[in-house]
Short mmCIF file of all heavy atoms in Angstrom, two decimals:
data_model
loop_
_atom_site.label_atom_id
_atom_site.label_comp_id
_atom_site.label_asym_id
_atom_site.label_seq_id
_atom_site.Cartn_x
_atom_site.Cartn_y
_atom_site.Cartn_z
N MET O 234 -9.33 -5.66 -4.90
CA MET O 234 -10.40 -6.14 -5.82
C MET O 234 -11.79 -6.13 -5.17
O MET O 234 -12.74 -5.84 -5.88
CB MET O 234 -10.00 -7.57 -6.30
CG MET O 234 -8.76 -7.63 -7.08
SD MET O 234 -8.73 -6.67 -8.58
CE MET O 234 -10.07 -7.58 -9.56
N VAL O 235 -11.87 -6.39 -3.96
CA VAL O 235 -13.11 -6.28 -3.22
C VAL O 235 -13.69 -4.84 -3.23
O VAL O 235 -14.84 -4.55 -3.46
CB VAL O 235 -13.03 -6.80 -1.79
CG1 VAL O 235 -14.28 -6.46 -1.00
CG2 VAL O 235 -12.77 -8.34 -1.77
N TYR O 236 -12.74 -3.95 -2.96
CA TYR O 236 -13.11 -2.54 -3.07
C TYR O 236 -13.65 -2.09 -4.41
O TYR O 236 -14.67 -1.40 -4.48
CB TYR O 236 -11.88 -1.62 -2.66
CG TYR O 236 -11.99 -0.16 -3.05
CD1 TYR O 236 -12.55 0.67 -2.13
CD2 TYR O 236 -11.58 0.30 -4.29
CE1 TYR O 236 -12.69 2.09 -2.48
CE2 TYR O 236 -11.60 1.62 -4.51
CZ TYR O 236 -12.27 2.54 -3.70
OH TYR O 236 -12.42 3.85 -4.06
N ARG O 237 -12.94 -2.56 -5.42
CA ARG O 237 -13.38 -2.30 -6.82
C ARG O 237 -14.79 -2.88 -7.04
O ARG O 237 -15.63 -2.25 -7.61
CB ARG O 237 -12.43 -2.83 -7.84
CG ARG O 237 -11.27 -2.02 -8.13
CD ARG O 237 -10.36 -2.58 -9.19
NE ARG O 237 -10.98 -2.97 -10.29
CZ ARG O 237 -10.51 -3.60 -11.43
NH1 ARG O 237 -9.18 -3.88 -11.40
NH2 ARG O 237 -11.16 -3.82 -12.49
N GLN O 238 -14.92 -4.11 -6.63
CA GLN O 238 -16.25 -4.87 -7.12
C GLN O 238 -17.39 -4.36 -6.28
O GLN O 238 -18.49 -4.26 -6.70
CB GLN O 238 -15.95 -6.33 -6.82
CG GLN O 238 -14.95 -6.90 -7.83
CD GLN O 238 -14.36 -8.26 -7.47
OE1 GLN O 238 -14.90 -8.90 -6.40
NE2 GLN O 238 -13.53 -8.86 -8.17
N GLU O 239 -17.12 -4.01 -5.00
CA GLU O 239 -18.23 -3.60 -4.10
C GLU O 239 -18.73 -2.08 -4.38
O GLU O 239 -19.82 -1.88 -4.23
CB GLU O 239 -17.87 -3.76 -2.69
CG GLU O 239 -17.78 -5.27 -2.21
CD GLU O 239 -17.53 -5.29 -0.61
OE1 GLU O 239 -17.29 -4.31 -0.03
OE2 GLU O 239 -17.71 -6.45 -0.23
N THR O 240 -17.80 -1.32 -4.81
CA THR O 240 -18.12 0.08 -4.91
C THR O 240 -18.29 0.48 -6.41
O THR O 240 -18.94 1.48 -6.73
CB THR O 240 -16.99 0.95 -4.35
OG1 THR O 240 -15.76 0.85 -5.12
CG2 THR O 240 -16.73 0.58 -2.91
N GLY O 241 -17.65 -0.22 -7.38
CA GLY O 241 -17.75 0.20 -8.78
C GLY O 241 -16.84 1.40 -9.01
O GLY O 241 -16.88 1.90 -10.10
N ARG O 242 -16.01 1.76 -8.08
CA ARG O 242 -15.16 2.93 -8.19
C ARG O 242 -13.78 2.50 -8.81
O ARG O 242 -13.33 1.43 -8.61
CB ARG O 242 -14.88 3.66 -6.89
CG ARG O 242 -16.14 4.13 -6.17
CD ARG O 242 -15.90 4.52 -4.70
NE ARG O 242 -17.17 4.51 -3.93
CZ ARG O 242 -17.12 4.36 -2.64
NH1 ARG O 242 -16.00 4.17 -1.95
NH2 ARG O 242 -18.36 4.29 -1.97
N PRO O 243 -13.20 3.32 -9.63
CA PRO O 243 -11.99 2.98 -10.30
C PRO O 243 -10.70 3.07 -9.44
O PRO O 243 -10.68 3.80 -8.37
CB PRO O 243 -11.84 3.98 -11.48
CG PRO O 243 -12.59 5.17 -10.88
CD PRO O 243 -13.74 4.64 -10.08
N VAL O 244 -9.78 2.19 -9.64
CA VAL O 244 -8.45 2.25 -8.93
C VAL O 244 -7.39 2.63 -9.93
O VAL O 244 -7.21 1.96 -11.02
CB VAL O 244 -8.10 0.86 -8.29
CG1 VAL O 244 -6.71 0.82 -7.70
CG2 VAL O 244 -9.20 0.53 -7.25
N TYR O 245 -6.70 3.72 -9.69
CA TYR O 245 -5.54 4.02 -10.53
C TYR O 245 -4.27 3.75 -9.83
O TYR O 245 -4.10 4.07 -8.65
CB TYR O 245 -5.64 5.58 -10.80
CG TYR O 245 -6.92 6.08 -11.47
CD1 TYR O 245 -8.04 6.49 -10.70
CD2 TYR O 245 -7.11 6.00 -12.82
CE1 TYR O 245 -9.21 6.87 -11.29
CE2 TYR O 245 -8.29 6.38 -13.38
CZ TYR O 245 -9.39 6.83 -12.61
OH TYR O 245 -10.53 7.25 -13.19
N GLY O 246 -3.31 3.10 -10.53
CA GLY O 246 -2.09 2.69 -9.91
C GLY O 246 -0.87 3.53 -10.49
O GLY O 246 -0.83 3.84 -11.65
N TYR O 247 -0.06 3.92 -9.57
CA TYR O 247 1.22 4.60 -10.02
C TYR O 247 2.48 3.87 -9.39
O TYR O 247 2.54 3.78 -8.15
CB TYR O 247 1.25 6.11 -9.71
CG TYR O 247 2.39 6.81 -10.22
CD1 TYR O 247 2.41 7.18 -11.56
CD2 TYR O 247 3.52 6.94 -9.48
CE1 TYR O 247 3.53 7.88 -12.12
CE2 TYR O 247 4.68 7.69 -10.08
CZ TYR O 247 4.65 8.06 -11.34
OH TYR O 247 5.72 8.65 -11.97
N MET O 248 3.34 3.40 -10.16
CA MET O 248 4.60 2.78 -9.67
C MET O 248 5.72 3.81 -9.67
O MET O 248 6.06 4.41 -10.64
CB MET O 248 4.96 1.64 -10.63
CG MET O 248 3.81 0.59 -10.80
SD MET O 248 4.26 -1.03 -11.54
CE MET O 248 4.84 -0.41 -13.09
N ALA O 249 6.31 4.00 -8.51
CA ALA O 249 7.25 5.01 -8.24
C ALA O 249 8.68 4.41 -8.45
O ALA O 249 8.96 3.83 -9.49
CB ALA O 249 7.13 5.61 -6.85
N GLN O 250 9.60 4.59 -7.46
CA GLN O 250 10.96 4.18 -7.65
C GLN O 250 11.03 2.66 -8.04
O GLN O 250 11.82 2.29 -8.93
CB GLN O 250 11.80 4.28 -6.35
CG GLN O 250 12.14 5.79 -6.06
CD GLN O 250 11.12 6.47 -5.23
OE1 GLN O 250 9.94 6.12 -5.19
NE2 GLN O 250 11.58 7.40 -4.38
N GLU O 251 10.32 1.82 -7.37
CA GLU O 251 10.31 0.47 -7.73
C GLU O 251 8.92 -0.25 -7.40
O GLU O 251 8.24 0.22 -6.44
CB GLU O 251 11.41 -0.35 -6.98
CG GLU O 251 11.20 -0.34 -5.47
CD GLU O 251 12.33 -1.18 -4.82
OE1 GLU O 251 12.94 -2.11 -5.42
OE2 GLU O 251 12.63 -0.83 -3.59
N CYS O 252 8.55 -1.17 -8.21
CA CYS O 252 7.36 -1.96 -7.99
C CYS O 252 7.66 -3.38 -8.52
O CYS O 252 7.64 -3.61 -9.67
CB CYS O 252 6.16 -1.37 -8.65
SG CYS O 252 4.66 -2.20 -8.27
N CYS O 253 8.10 -4.27 -7.62
CA CYS O 253 8.57 -5.52 -8.05
C CYS O 253 7.95 -6.61 -7.30
O CYS O 253 7.29 -6.45 -6.24
CB CYS O 253 10.12 -5.51 -7.81
SG CYS O 253 11.10 -4.39 -8.68
N SER O 254 8.10 -7.84 -7.80
CA SER O 254 7.62 -9.05 -7.14
C SER O 254 6.18 -8.91 -6.71
O SER O 254 5.33 -8.69 -7.42
CB SER O 254 8.63 -9.50 -6.08
OG SER O 254 8.39 -10.78 -5.61
N GLY O 255 5.93 -9.09 -5.39
CA GLY O 255 4.64 -8.99 -4.80
C GLY O 255 3.95 -7.63 -5.10
O GLY O 255 2.63 -7.53 -5.14
N GLY O 256 4.80 -6.60 -5.27
CA GLY O 256 4.25 -5.27 -5.62
C GLY O 256 3.52 -5.27 -6.92
O GLY O 256 2.51 -4.58 -7.16
#
Side-chain angles (χ1 to χ4, degrees):
M234 294 301 293
V235 169
Y236 166 85
R237 277 181 54 181
Q238 293 164 4
E239 289 187 350
T240 66
R242 303 167 198 159
V244 175
Y245 302 93
Y247 186 82
M248 303 193 301
Q250 286 94 329
E251 61 178 337
C252 184
C253 299
S254 193

